[in-house]
Amino acid sequence: MNYFSSKFKLGILGGGQLGKMLLTETRKFDIYTCVLDPSAEAPSKIACNEFTQGDLMDYETVVNFGKNVDVLTIEIENVNVNALETLEKQGVKVFPSSKTLKIIQNKATQKLFYVDHNIATAEFARFAYVSEIEDAIDNGGLQLPFVWKAAQFGYDGNGVKVVRSKADLKTLKDGECIAETMIPFKNELAVIVSRNVDGDVKTYPVVEMEFHPEANQVEYVICPARISAAVALKAKETALKVSQAFNHVGLLAVEMFQTQNDEILVNEVAPRPHNSGHHTIESGYTSQFEQHIRAILNLPLGKTDYKVAGVMVNLVGAEGYSGDVHYEHISEIMAMEGVTPHIYGKKQTRPFRKMGHVTIVNEDLNTARQIAEDVKNLIKVISQ
Amino acid sequence: MNYFSSKFKLGILGGGQLGKMLLTETRKFDIYTCVLDPSAEAPSKIACNEFTQGDLMDYETVVNFGKNVDVLTIEIENVNVNALETLEKQGVKVFPSSKTLKIIQNKATQKLFYVDHNIATAEFARFAYVSEIEDAIDNGGLQLPFVWKAAQFGYDGNGVKVVRSKADLKTLKDGECIAETMIPFKNELAVIVSRNVDGDVKTYPVVEMEFHPEANQVEYVICPARISAAVALKAKETALKVSQAFNHVGLLAVEMFQTQNDEILVNEVAPRPHNSGHHTIESGYTSQFEQHIRAILNLPLGKTDYKVAGVMVNLVGAEGYSGDVHYEHISEIMAMEGVTPHIYGKKQTRPFRKMGHVTIVNEDLNTARQIAEDVKNLIKVISQ
């Protein structure tokens, strides 16, 4: 297949900020792209060749969109997998596969997959309704505190909650869910594994993630992680094992806990470019977005090393502000050394909404980390 | 002015490959962009918010386009400068200014500008017609060989020729031109100077350029140049002097000769992102395209250092091939370490046409240079 010809078409399900960054890379290779997204104002709209407005969860819509492309990928997991299955049977190359997405879409199924494949993960119990959790606590089958996760459609801090008392149960959305043992981890780590169609594999350096305590969103991503070589190796090996278990093509971002005993437990995965890899645009030899394109088009994978240390700060809407967005002090942070803001182009801010990210690169990791803190303290995403 | 709002509009005259790479950076900052280009198939068309098809040399067209934007820039010098003058009077911020463009558009005027500002440049004579050159040779006023340059509208190897005999004169396009002394230079160097509206200035590292002997196109751009610190300093100082003389805002790429005596002579300038800075996308802390945006929007300038060494190879159409383009061995070059191709998306190739470029980055410059040669020997831009 000649990707560098106008006859080839790459389809992307979802036209949000990840899709936009992915499309930026396709411009470099002059690849013809088609995007499906429910919003007429999707950020990807102006960066693709063909834009179709439509529901990603609607079978007919996804099949009709997908049958016109040669390779189909996603920027969001919540798409109609039955449609992907149909397209696969029709000969469309779908990465990640419908099989992988079906497992990942449901957090309970995902956890069972790890157990089946002998991949270490935090202990958990599966429930059909929140009321079952209460019963389990009452009869001693479940101890407080624990981490509640909705089985489906949780993202950006929704669908994940620490439950410390029975009163907390009232705040949970009802439906299928899991209750997971809280891991008193030393670090949260992530490794992005890239694998092309031929099976060539390259892993990105291990990164360290720091979460905002309330919003449950990543606050800093630090590359490379400040961990021992032995722990880094174990994290990479675990991530590779997960990628292999899925027989995954494209990027697989594997989030892990490093326990107090330096065990590595898999938390969850994302089968696509991921927040933990945004820093690679500035810090890496090959950005995660370019690598995803290389992988799903079965091109040789790029070098995954870092050129310089990188720290990423998410730009989230400040508490107490909703409305037309204003980026206060953005000019000041751009005056700091090695600072690049990425604005996603959402017109409205609201508390904790992901509005962009900022990457800070430096030859010295500690300097980058310090500047990142200065950036975080200075910039404010507020309303006008 | 709040650039990060939907009320602000950036206009770009020209929608070719440079414009496309510039627009990629505006996506990162979510800046609203408008492009004017004569071709309905301009590469920039799918990367901007508003596309207008129209003649860049037509006064009315440029004025009508420009009056709807807040800041106007160019990706090509051949635009109607009278229209820019009108727009400046109407309050549109135009970078580069009409005054600078008027000087640069005409190579004779540009050379006289250097003389007026005490900037060292190769000796030259100005002619209104080619026939005047023959007279000058006959009466001993001009020695062979010399470099002929059309005063206007020369680019990509057109409009520049080494004249070794009177017979060569027959191949020249008639019209205003200059005849320049051939400089037996040690190196061709280039420095990109960035300057924002407030007058803050940062220079990029000095690069070394190697030209294809026949096509007169850059074959390798090498960053950093393999020259002494003293010569590098002199080159930077010269470039700064030129930037200051123009009172330039945005990027100014200054091409220079390093003579056998290590003198620096200015060859010519480009008041925009330039081929000699393409490597900064992968090698630099701040790509030249991001820097141009920062400069013309009066944002703080980014760090201009290089993270790793970079070598750029132009992808030009192979001799003997014209028609639908095919990139032979592109997959193989992508398997080499630190290699990123940039395909401009032109559908048709012809001998020496600029079809893209490839950047090779490595911690070690000599390794990058070796891989660049391997890339150049392997990839072929041919017709199908």
Side-chain angles (χ1 to χ4, degrees):
Chain A
M1 175 75 65
N2 182 5
Y3 305 111
F4 302 95
S5 93
S6 53
K7 283 156 205 145
F8 174 82
K9 288 187 180 184
L10 171 66
I12 305 174
L13 295 176
Q17 65 270 21
L18 283 176
K20 194 177 84 169
M21 290 187 275
L22 199 58
L23 285 162
T24 298
E25 299 300 324
T26 65
R27 291 301 94 225
K28 197 158 69 180
F29 298 153
D30 192 45
I31 290 164
Y32 195 95
T33 50
C34 308
V35 169
L36 178 69
D37 193 273
S39 166
E41 288 175 2
S44 287
K45 198 174 178 180
I46 78 158
C48 63
N49 296 83
E50 289 178 29
F51 180 79
T52 307
Q53 189 179 354
D55 186 353
L56 300 172
M57 293 304 289
D58 182 67
Y59 176 84
E60 292 291 339
T61 305
V62 174
V63 169
N64 284 333
F65 172 80
K67 69 185 180 194
N68 287 318
V69 303
D70 301 284
V71 173
L72 186 61
T73 190
I74 55 146
E75 63 120 42
I76 186 167
E77 285 89 337
N78 296 332
V79 301
N80 190 302
V81 283
N82 295 328
L84 297 188
E85 240 178 316
T86 300
L87 290 166
E88 283 165 347
K89 282 178 194 145
Q90 290 177 1
V92 178
K93 288 171 187 162
V94 181
F95 306 117
S97 68
S98 62
K99 203 178 145 202
T100 295
L101 264 183
K102 204 176 270 180
I103 296 164
I104 290 173
Q105 275 187 350
N106 185 299
K107 284 190 185 169
T109 316
Q110 192 185 139
K111 291 284 283 188
L112 290 169
F113 178 84
Y114 300 140
V115 174
D116 287 349
H117 288 80
N118 208 20
I119 292 161
T121 187
E123 282 188 31
F124 71 102
R126 183 181 190 170
F127 299 98
Y129 305 100
V130 172
S131 60
E132 290 184 359
I133 301 182
E134 196 161 356
D135 297 344
I137 297 171
D138 287 342
N139 67 32
L142 183 65
Q143 262 70 51
L144 289 163
F146 61 86
V147 181
W148 168 86
K149 292 180 179 176
Q152 291 193 63
F153 308 123
Y155 64 97
D156 272 17
N158 301 313
V160 178
K161 209 144 204 171
V162 176
V163 175
R164 300 182 190 279
S165 69
K166 279 177 68 179
D168 286 346
L169 294 175
K170 293 191 177 68
T171 64
L172 304 181
K173 201 182 64 178
D174 203 11
E176 191 189 357
C177 60
I178 60 172
E180 209 177 58
T181 306
M182 278 186 78
I183 304 295
F185 54 81
K186 269 192 207 168
N187 281 304
E188 290 216 35
L189 306 174
V191 171
I192 293 176
V193 181
S194 56
R195 192 166 169 279
N196 69 10
V197 183
D198 280 348
D200 294 334
V201 175
K202 282 190 185 176
T203 57
Y204 275 90
V206 185
V207 299
E208 205 184 316
M209 295 154 91
E210 225 180 295
F211 279 72
H212 187 285
E214 285 163 56
N216 197 43
Q217 287 182 323
V218 178
E219 202 166 26
Y220 297 111
V221 172
I222 296 164
C223 175
R226 292 160 297 182
I227 52 174
S228 71
V231 171
L233 184 65
K234 206 186 259 183
K236 281 197 173 192
E237 283 172 349
T238 303
L240 280 168
K241 193 174 172 182
V242 177
S243 160
Q244 205 154 25
F246 281 112
N247 201 18
H248 189 69
V249 172
L251 296 189
L252 189 73
V254 183
E255 295 183 64
M256 293 165 280
F257 298 121
Q258 175 192 357
T259 69
Q260 299 299 334
N261 306 324
D262 289 344
E263 280 179 301
I264 297 293
L265 302 178
V266 171
N267 181 20
E268 59 183 49
V269 301
R272 51 165 172 79
H274 187 248
N275 197 261
S276 65
H278 287 353
H279 67 93
T280 58
I281 297 174
E282 284 87 9
S283 71
Y285 276 91
T286 310
S287 92
Q288 65 165 345
F289 300 100
E290 178 179 336
Q291 192 79 321
H292 187 64
I293 300 291
R294 285 179 179 238
I296 64 175
L297 265 47
N298 202 26
L299 290 164
L301 298 174
K303 187 172 171 177
T304 49
D305 298 354
Y306 57 94
K307 291 171 190 163
V308 284
V311 176
M312 190 213 62
V313 182
N314 279 318
L315 279 185
V316 300
E319 285 187 90
Y321 295 91
S322 290
D324 288 352
V325 66
H326 174 67
Y327 301 92
E328 200 173 58
H329 302 304
I330 192 159
S331 180
E332 285 91 329
I333 68 158
M334 287 176 79
M336 298 178 184
E337 194 182 320
V339 171
T340 307
H342 292 255
I343 305 298
Y344 296 159
K346 298 172 186 174
K347 301 301 168 211
Q348 302 284 314
T349 184
R350 53 173 188 262
F352 302 119
R353 187 176 194 201
K354 252 188 220 171
M355 301 299 288
H357 74 266
V358 182
T359 308
I360 299 93
V361 287
N362 201 285
E363 283 193 12
D364 176 61
L365 177 59
N366 293 329
T367 307
R369 178 61 182 77
Q370 186 51 56
I371 295 171
E373 204 168 312
D374 297 344
V375 165
K376 195 187 145 288
N377 290 336
L378 191 57
I379 193 163
K380 289 237 151 21
V381 183
I382 59 173
S383 49
Q384 284 173 319
Chain B
M1 176 75 67
N2 182 6
Y3 305 110
F4 304 93
S5 93
S6 54
K7 282 157 206 143
F8 173 81
K9 288 187 182 184
L10 171 66
I12 305 174
L13 295 177
Q17 65 268 21
L18 283 176
K20 195 177 84 169
M21 292 187 273
L22 198 60
L23 285 162
T24 298
E25 299 301 324
T26 65
R27 293 301 92 226
K28 197 158 69 180
F29 297 151
D30 192 44
I31 290 164
Y32 194 95
T33 51
C34 308
V35 169
L36 178 70
D37 193 273
S39 167
E41 289 175 1
S44 287
K45 196 174 179 179
I46 77 159
C48 63
N49 296 83
E50 288 177 30
F51 179 80
T52 307
Q53 191 180 352
D55 185 353
L56 301 171
M57 294 303 291
D58 183 68
Y59 177 85
E60 293 290 339
T61 305
V62 174
V63 169
N64 285 332
F65 172 81
K67 69 185 180 192
N68 288 318
V69 304
D70 301 284
V71 173
L72 184 63
T73 190
I74 55 145
E75 61 120 42
I76 186 167
E77 286 89 337
N78 297 331
V79 301
N80 190 303
V81 283
N82 294 329
L84 299 187
E85 239 178 315
T86 301
L87 290 166
E88 282 166 347
K89 281 177 196 148
Q90 290 177 2
V92 178
K93 288 170 187 162
V94 181
F95 307 117
S97 69
S98 63
K99 202 178 144 201
T100 295
L101 263 183
K102 204 176 271 181
I103 296 164
I104 290 173
Q105 275 186 348
N106 186 298
K107 283 189 185 170
T109 315
Q110 194 184 138
K111 291 284 282 188
L112 290 169
F113 179 84
Y114 300 140
V115 174
D116 286 349
H117 288 79
N118 207 19
I119 292 161
T121 188
E123 282 187 31
F124 70 102
R126 185 181 187 170
F127 299 98
Y129 305 99
V130 172
S131 59
E132 292 183 1
I133 300 183
E134 198 163 353
D135 296 344
I137 296 171
D138 288 342
N139 65 32
L142 183 65
Q143 262 68 51
L144 289 163
F146 61 83
V147 181
W148 168 86
K149 292 180 179 175
Q152 292 195 63
F153 307 124
Y155 62 96
D156 272 18
N158 301 312
V160 179
K161 211 147 204 170
V162 175
V163 175
R164 299 184 191 278
S165 69
K166 278 177 72 179
D168 286 347
L169 293 176
K170 293 193 177 65
T171 64
L172 304 180
K173 202 180 65 178
D174 202 12
E176 191 189 357
C177 58
I178 59 171
E180 208 177 59
T181 306
M182 278 186 78
I183 303 295
F185 53 81
K186 267 192 204 167
N187 282 303
E188 289 217 33
L189 307 174
V191 171
I192 293 176
V193 181
S194 57
R195 191 164 171 280
N196 69 11
V197 183
D198 279 348
D200 294 333
V201 175
K202 283 191 185 175
T203 57
Y204 276 90
V206 185
V207 299
E208 203 185 316
M209 296 155 90
E210 224 179 296
F211 279 71
H212 187 286
E214 286 163 57
N216 197 42
Q217 288 184 323
V218 178
E219 203 167 24
Y220 297 111
V221 171
I222 297 164
C223 174
R226 292 160 298 182
I227 52 174
S228 71
V231 171
L233 184 66
K234 204 186 262 183
K236 282 196 174 192
E237 284 172 349
T238 303
L240 280 169
K241 192 174 174 184
V242 178
S243 160
Q244 207 154 23
F246 281 113
N247 200 19
H248 189 69
V249 172
L251 297 189
L252 189 74
V254 183
E255 296 184 64
M256 293 163 279
F257 299 120
Q258 175 191 356
T259 69
Q260 299 298 335
N261 306 325
D262 290 343
E263 279 180 302
I264 297 292
L265 302 179
V266 172
N267 180 19
E268 58 183 50
V269 301
R272 51 165 172 79
H274 188 249
N275 196 261
S276 65
H278 287 353
H279 68 94
T280 57
I281 298 174
E282 284 86 7
S283 70
Y285 275 91
T286 310
S287 92
Q288 66 165 345
F289 300 99
E290 179 179 334
Q291 193 79 324
H292 187 64
I293 300 291
R294 286 178 178 238
I296 63 175
L297 264 50
N298 203 24
L299 290 164
L301 298 174
K303 186 172 170 178
T304 48
D305 299 354
Y306 57 95
K307 292 171 187 161
V308 284
V311 177
M312 192 213 61
V313 182
N314 279 318
L315 279 184
V316 299
E319 284 187 90
Y321 295 91
S322 289
D324 288 352
V325 65
H326 173 66
Y327 301 92
E328 201 174 57
H329 302 305
I330 191 160
S331 180
E332 285 92 327
I333 69 158
M334 288 177 77
M336 298 178 184
E337 196 181 321
V339 171
T340 306
H342 293 254
I343 305 297
Y344 296 158
K346 298 173 186 175
K347 301 303 169 211
Q348 304 281 315
T349 185
R350 55 174 187 261
F352 303 119
R353 188 177 193 198
K354 252 189 221 170
M355 301 299 287
H357 73 266
V358 182
T359 308
I360 300 93
V361 287
N362 201 286
E363 283 192 13
D364 177 60
L365 177 59
N366 293 329
T367 306
R369 178 59 183 77
Q370 184 51 56
I371 295 171
E373 203 168 314
D374 296 343
V375 165
K376 197 188 143 286
N377 290 335
L378 192 56
I379 194 164
K380 289 235 151 24
V381 182
I382 57 173
S383 49
Q384 282 173 321

